Amino acid sequence: MAPKVTLYEKIIQDMLKDIHEGRLKPGDRIPTEAELGEKYKVSRITVIRALKELEMRGLLKRVKKKGTFIKEAEAPETDRVHIPAISVVLPFSEEFGYDILRGVENVCAERGYYVTFHNSKYEPQRERDILEKIVADNLAGAIIYPSAGNHNIDIYSRMIMSRFPFVLIDRTVKGVAAPLVVSNNIQAGYELTRHLTALGHKKIAFVCTSVNEALSVSDRYRGYCNALISEGIVPLPEWLIEDNARLEDINSEDVSLRLKINQQRLERVLALPDPPTAIVAVNDETAMKLIKAAQLRGIAIPDQLSITGFDNLSAGELFDVPLTTIKQDFTGIGAQAARLVIELQEGTDNHKAVPERITLETELVVRKSTVKV
């Protein structure tokens, strides 16, 4: 299924089609912002966003007091200049990625770069379409939170071979050697689990989609195991609750579907011969859905079951049971990634001058979803 086209992308696509099919020629004046807004039934802000992107691509030029015009044909590929824009590709919305984007924008503003945002929605094909477009548009670089696994290893490999500057955040792409900015997930997983053992918990489950889903997940599980072992507790294989659910389902806008998945996970925890008294959830979203599932089943949180999250989303602090979690420096991640990708773009020996990995520290935030046993 093709990705849904946003309103501003529709304006861009229609204008590109008119240019390619000759209905708009170099030197032609395009409709005004007001006329385009009326035609597409969108706000002026949406129109401006579309025109700004077309201008950044070198297709439009604004003439003071006269209007906006189609520019002359682009120079041959070998003469093209990188458009000074860094694209941020996240598998979730601007709302969840706000702090990352803020970090990127702070650095890019200082260095004279624009920032564009794209949501892959955890869909590999949508991610592929976005990356191909970014490369084709000759942007300055990209900061990418990969959607999943190595589905798009071919396009990532082509980006490396063509020396297109990009930096990954949170997740690696198996088989691809690219700069990475990530939180110290091993230490964070350790601190969460150590917090629970300090409260007396000796049977602790780890709940995720798949421990091999991403480097960040496997590192959190590794920290969890390290903490148990340091306390003389043997991690049992049945304490690892995986279901390999589709990421697009886990992160679906369908709240009932996300709840159902976590109800099934909770039932697996409770069905164990000697059920755990605590759960380390892979992220805040999972933790909150597990808490909701437990409440619907009549289980008191945290008195009967302690649950921790990961990410420190604002929703977790305001949740029915305020969530014990790990705070990541998302703004710092965005800022570091922006610095790296700009170094790749501007450096004379691009791929040797940039560190392979930058790891940022995290912070344990204790609230009310955990209690002594």
Side-chain angles (χ1 to χ4, degrees):
M1 183 181 293
K4 183 180 178 180
V5 177
T6 62
L7 295 174
Y8 89 94
E9 288 173 333
K10 172 65 174 170
I11 298 173
I12 292 171
Q13 290 180 3
D14 285 357
M15 199 162 293
L16 287 173
K17 185 177 181 181
D18 286 345
I19 292 172
H20 292 155
E21 294 180 0
R23 288 185 289 276
L24 283 174
K25 300 180 178 62
D28 285 356
R29 181 178 179 278
I30 69 168
T32 66
E33 293 169 3
E35 289 169 341
L36 288 170
E38 175 62 27
K39 177 181 177 180
Y40 289 93
K41 307 301 180 187
V42 296
S43 68
R44 182 170 177 269
I45 292 175
T46 299
V47 173
I48 291 173
R49 182 177 180 184
L51 297 185
K52 189 67 176 178
E53 184 159 330
L54 287 166
E55 186 179 0
M56 287 166 56
R57 296 190 199 182
L59 297 175
L60 300 180
K61 65 176 180 180
R62 296 173 185 266
V63 180
K64 193 173 183 180
K65 296 184 178 179
K66 291 187 177 180
T68 302
F69 299 81
I70 303 297
K71 287 185 71 173
E72 298 299 321
E74 289 186 348
E77 181 71 22
T78 55
D79 297 329
R80 290 179 68 191
V81 177
H82 286 296
I83 296 171
I86 304 295
S87 286
V88 180
V89 184
L90 303 177
F92 37 73
S93 69
E94 291 174 270
E95 177 186 359
F96 288 104
Y98 172 78
D99 288 332
I100 294 173
L101 289 168
R102 182 176 62 175
V104 174
E105 289 174 340
N106 288 345
V107 171
C108 287
E110 293 173 359
R111 301 289 290 271
Y113 287 83
Y114 299 101
V115 177
T116 66
F117 169 70
H118 309 270
N119 180 0
S120 68
K121 298 186 177 180
Y122 288 96
E123 298 171 9
Q125 183 58 52
R126 186 180 181 89
E127 178 185 84
R128 172 181 290 274
D129 294 341
I130 291 168
L131 295 181
E132 289 178 341
K133 183 172 181 290
I134 288 170
V135 173
D137 288 347
N138 211 35
L139 302 189
I143 296 166
I144 309 162
Y145 186 125
S147 63
N150 65 340
H151 290 86
N152 292 325
I153 187 172
D154 53 337
I155 187 168
Y156 283 109
S157 299
R158 286 198 296 271
M159 289 163 71
I160 291 175
M161 293 165 66
S162 66
R163 301 184 73 80
F164 182 86
F166 72 96
V167 173
L168 303 179
I169 57 176
D170 191 76
R171 300 174 174 216
T172 56
V173 176
K174 294 177 182 178
V176 173
L180 171 71
V181 181
V182 67
S183 293
N184 191 339
N185 288 290
I186 296 176
Q187 182 62 27
Y190 180 93
E191 289 183 354
L192 275 174
T193 309
R194 185 66 188 83
H195 165 70
L196 290 169
T197 59
L199 292 174
H201 296 277
K202 298 185 183 301
K203 297 171 294 183
I204 304 170
F206 186 96
V207 175
C208 63
T209 299
S210 168
V211 76
N212 294 316
E213 170 198 333
L215 175 67
S216 55
V217 178
S218 59
D219 278 355
R220 290 170 198 178
Y221 180 67
R222 180 178 167 188
Y224 153 89
C225 290
N226 289 348
L228 292 178
I229 293 168
S230 72
E231 292 299 304
I233 302 170
V234 177
L236 299 181
E238 58 265 31
W239 289 352
L240 174 57
I241 305 297
E242 302 175 281
D243 53 23
N244 293 301
R246 298 193 316 161
L247 288 174
E248 51 264 47
D249 290 340
I250 295 293
N251 298 279
S252 167
E253 294 179 1
D254 185 344
V255 177
S256 62
L257 174 60
R258 302 203 311 267
L259 176 58
K260 180 180 178 181
I261 290 170
N262 284 286
Q263 285 175 317
Q264 293 169 347
R265 292 169 168 174
L266 179 65
E267 291 305 318
R268 288 180 58 192
V269 172
L270 299 177
L272 293 174
D274 191 10
T277 59
I279 294 175
V280 173
V282 70
N283 54 41
D284 282 356
E285 172 66 20
T286 297
M288 288 186 282
K289 288 295 180 290
L290 286 170
I291 290 174
K292 186 65 176 177
Q295 290 172 331
L296 290 172
R297 206 178 185 280
I299 297 171
I301 306 295
D303 294 334
Q304 293 176 278
L305 184 64
S306 289
I307 298 178
T308 68
F310 200 110
D311 286 334
N312 195 38
L313 299 180
S314 57
E317 182 179 6
L318 303 173
F319 197 57
D320 295 345
V321 183
L323 198 60
T324 293
T325 187
I326 286 289
K327 179 181 180 181
Q328 297 192 74
D329 182 7
F330 289 120
T331 302
I333 288 172
Q336 290 283 14
R339 293 188 188 101
L340 289 185
V341 79
I342 290 171
E343 286 179 26
L344 286 172
Q345 171 56 233
E346 298 180 353
T348 55
D349 192 9
N350 290 355
H351 293 274
K352 293 182 181 178
V354 172
E356 293 182 1
R357 180 185 298 193
I358 291 179
T359 303
L360 279 66
E361 295 307 313
T362 60
E363 177 186 344
L364 175 65
V365 180
V366 178
R367 297 198 181 101
K368 296 182 179 180
S369 65
T370 55
V371 72
K372 281 186 176 183
V373 291

